[in-house]
Structures are given as C-alpha cells and as structure tokens.
Amino acid sequence: MFQDTSSLAAMAEALSQSPDYRVLRRLMARLPFTPSSDQETKTAVILDTETTGLDAQRNEIIELGMVKFDYTPNGNIVGVRDTFSAFNEPIDPIPADITDLTGISDELVAGHRIDAVAVEKFVDDAVLIIAHHSQFDRGFAERYWPVFAQKAWACSATEIEWRKYGFEGAKLGYLLHGAGYFHQAHRAVDDCNALLEILAFELPTIGRPARPAAGERAEENGSRVGGAIAVRAQKSPQNPRLSMERRQRRKTQELVRRRLRSRPRRRNRVSENGDLPARRRAANAEADRFHAVLGKGLRTGCDTSRSNRSAVRSAAAEINARR
C-alpha cells in the first residue's frame, strides 16, 4: 500500500486535517515560470553559500546556490525564474567537520570553479539579494564577486519578527517545519528553495505570507517593495566604494580598541574622567591616525592576515614615536 503515492497523499491530507497530527512534506523545488508582461513585478535573488569556515576573508566558498524569483509590489511571490548551483574547489582541504555538516567532500568539488561571468549575469536584473543571516553570506559573496557590493541586501532571519507571528526562533529548518516541509539542510540551493517557501508561507496568525505581513513597517518608511526585508534594502549604500571605506575605518577602529585593551594600563585625562563617549572618540581619533600612517587603510576592510597585522604594529610604533 505504501507504494501507492496517491494513497499516501490522501493519508497525509487526512492527518493534516486533525489537530492531533502534523504532517511534514518533502520540499520540492518550484518549476520556472514565464513572466507575464501585463503584471508589474520586481526581481529578487535568494542566495546561500557553503564555506570552509566562518571567516569571510580567510575561508573559502565551496558551494554557491541562488534562486531568482519575481514578486509583486505588495510582496507576493509570483514564481521562480531560474536557479543557480555550482561547486568551487578550495585551495586548502575541506575540514572534516564541514564535510560532516554539509556532505561536501574534497572529491565532490575537485576540479570545479564558479563562473564569475555567469554569477554576474544571473544577478544582473535583481533589485534585492536575500539571505538567511545575510551578514555571513554577504561577506563571502562581495569578496568573490564585486557585483554584490552594488546590490541591496536583506536578511530574512533578523528583519522579520518571526516570534511575533508564532515562531519560537528564526532557524531555517525550524521555520520550514512550521511551513509544513522538510529538506536536505546545509546544501546551498536546497536552502534557497527552503527560504523561498518560508517567504511564501501564509502565516496562520494573520492569514498572509511573511513579506507583506511585515510590510507595514516598510510602508511606514516609504518602501513600495513590501516586506520587512525591504527595510534594510532601502538603506543600502548607493556608493560601494564609500561603503568599503566605512568598513575599513570600522575594522581599523576595532583593531585599535583591541590594542588599547591588550597593552598595559596607561591612563590619561580622557580615560580618568570615565566619559565613555569621550574615550570612544579618543579611540576613533587614534584609528584615524592609523589610517594616515597606513595610507589607504587595511587592504580589504576585514583582513587580519600576518602582513596586515605587521603593518598595524609598525603604524602603532610610528604613532607612539610621534607622541
């Protein structure tokens, strides 16, 4: 009897109607659709990466997955345009714990490279890049493909108030189970398809999907895109060069604060008065002096390689010599 898929579907449907059971269905990727010319839509891309570690400047991407979809001005998902999935062979061997987590081995990615031209072409018409915990994926994506620095980004994990809509957390697998599905986690394109269904899921508390349900906050900020994830997109920098310079300065400030905390206590008039804003201004001023010595600042804004640490120590010695 279990070979009859129609019988299984009927049983699952019957169980789902009972308050005593919950049914999870295997997530199936949506088939691409043909956009209609008479419907106003915008295009977004859901992106996910699998990597050899958490450091966006030192670790490497081993898999990139993307799903391109169209949505209406009020945030309703219309359909999937295309999908992208590719492996990348890293320079260093994939750590054993990463293979255990993702199932991606050195043998699986051997000889594979992600085509940069294909990536740029895929995201060219997208007005928004969405990732679950975008702070992680964005760092890797912008390092590998500069086109992502020119795109607006949004985070589906932090910019939608999932607890407000009856979920106890924002973990991807947990949200997907709430939508009634299960999937192969920690594989890039599968996670993208999972996030698409989560964003299309009709929230039981209000009877509509996550994007338009959270869109009230976006509308208050003048957004016509719809959805809470559009809020951050409206604030994304228009000048990627300026954005990089700001990140460089923030990273230099962070290195200065670490240096100030690690060196022997040497109080001055600013620190003695206990004025925290003043101390921060003093630390930022020292960071500016670092930039003056280092020229253009840190090479990538997040590089903590040995050569950069050496440059910082040299700069610190020169600053101390000037005092």
Side-chain angles (χ1 to χ4, degrees):
M1 68 179 269
F2 291 105
Q3 300 299 320
D4 187 347
T5 56
S6 61
S7 297
L8 289 174
M11 293 170 58
E13 183 62 27
L15 287 172
S16 65
Q17 299 301 316
S18 169
D20 297 325
Y21 296 91
R22 293 187 63 187
V23 177
L24 296 181
R25 295 173 170 83
R26 182 182 297 278
L27 178 66
M28 304 298 292
R30 297 190 184 195
L31 296 175
F33 86 115
T34 302
S36 174
S37 59
D38 60 351
Q39 185 177 25
E40 181 185 357
T41 61
K42 293 184 178 182
T43 301
V45 167
I46 295 175
L47 177 146
D48 185 67
T49 60
E50 301 299 336
T51 68
T52 58
L54 302 177
D55 191 329
Q57 296 305 317
R58 303 178 67 178
N59 297 124
E60 301 173 78
I61 291 177
I62 54 178
E63 186 182 23
L64 172 66
M66 294 186 288
V67 172
K68 183 190 296 186
F69 67 95
D70 282 0
Y71 62 96
T72 61
N74 66 353
N76 291 321
I77 295 174
V78 177
V80 171
R81 282 200 173 197
D82 200 1
T83 60
F84 182 100
S85 180
F87 288 120
N88 181 63
E89 181 181 8
I91 297 175
D92 299 319
I94 298 175
D97 59 331
I98 298 298
T99 297
D100 293 339
L101 179 67
T102 65
I104 301 175
S105 62
D106 292 319
E107 294 75 19
L108 188 61
V109 301
H112 288 273
R113 289 288 182 271
I114 300 176
D115 186 345
V117 175
V119 171
E120 292 180 4
K121 183 178 179 181
F122 190 89
V123 304
D124 181 61
D125 57 347
V127 298
L128 185 64
I129 308 297
I130 306 170
H132 209 64
H133 297 293
S134 63
Q135 184 178 6
F136 173 82
D137 294 288
R138 183 175 187 173
F140 281 95
E142 291 186 354
R143 170 189 162 195
Y144 275 76
W145 306 285
V147 64
F148 286 107
Q150 304 171 23
K151 296 292 183 178
W153 282 75
C155 181
S156 55
T158 62
E159 295 175 27
I160 294 178
E161 298 179 45
W162 293 110
R163 291 184 181 274
K164 178 180 178 180
Y165 302 118
F167 295 91
E168 294 183 2
K171 190 175 180 179
L172 186 68
Y174 174 78
L175 294 174
L176 187 64
H177 288 172
Y181 296 100
F182 67 93
H183 80 308
Q184 183 179 2
H186 300 295
R187 290 301 299 271
V189 75
D190 294 322
D191 284 351
C192 290
N193 285 317
L195 181 53
L196 180 73
E197 294 305 325
I198 291 170
L199 295 177
F201 175 60
E202 186 177 279
L203 295 169
T205 54
I206 53 177
R208 48 182 184 171
R211 287 173 59 89
E216 298 173 359
R217 192 170 66 191
E219 291 171 3
E220 291 175 359
N221 290 326
S223 168
R224 299 292 297 174
V225 178
I229 57 177
V231 176
R232 183 71 54 85
Q234 300 302 309
K235 299 178 180 179
S236 295
Q238 300 297 318
N239 188 334
R241 183 181 182 86
L242 179 59
S243 175
M244 178 60 76
E245 291 175 354
R246 287 174 177 170
R247 290 200 295 272
Q248 288 175 343
R249 187 172 185 274
R250 285 198 298 269
K251 186 60 182 179
T252 308
Q253 291 173 358
E254 179 184 349
L255 290 173
V256 169
R257 292 191 186 103
R258 290 178 182 175
R259 174 176 168 270
L260 292 175
R261 287 195 298 266
S262 62
R263 70 187 182 185
R265 302 288 290 180
R266 188 171 65 184
R267 295 183 175 277
N268 54 36
R269 284 176 296 180
V270 174
S271 60
E272 286 175 352
N273 63 20
D275 187 349
L276 180 60
R279 293 202 304 273
R280 286 178 176 171
R281 287 195 298 270
N284 290 343
E286 187 162 359
D288 291 337
R289 291 195 292 273
F290 265 82
H291 271 291
V293 174
L294 291 173
K296 294 182 179 180
L298 301 180
R299 283 181 281 126
T300 64
C302 297
D303 193 345
T304 57
S305 64
R306 181 178 299 178
S307 60
N308 256 17
R309 291 196 300 268
S310 176
V312 169
R313 285 195 295 270
S314 299
E318 185 170 343
I319 289 172
N320 290 330
R322 291 180 181 178
R323 291 176 174 174

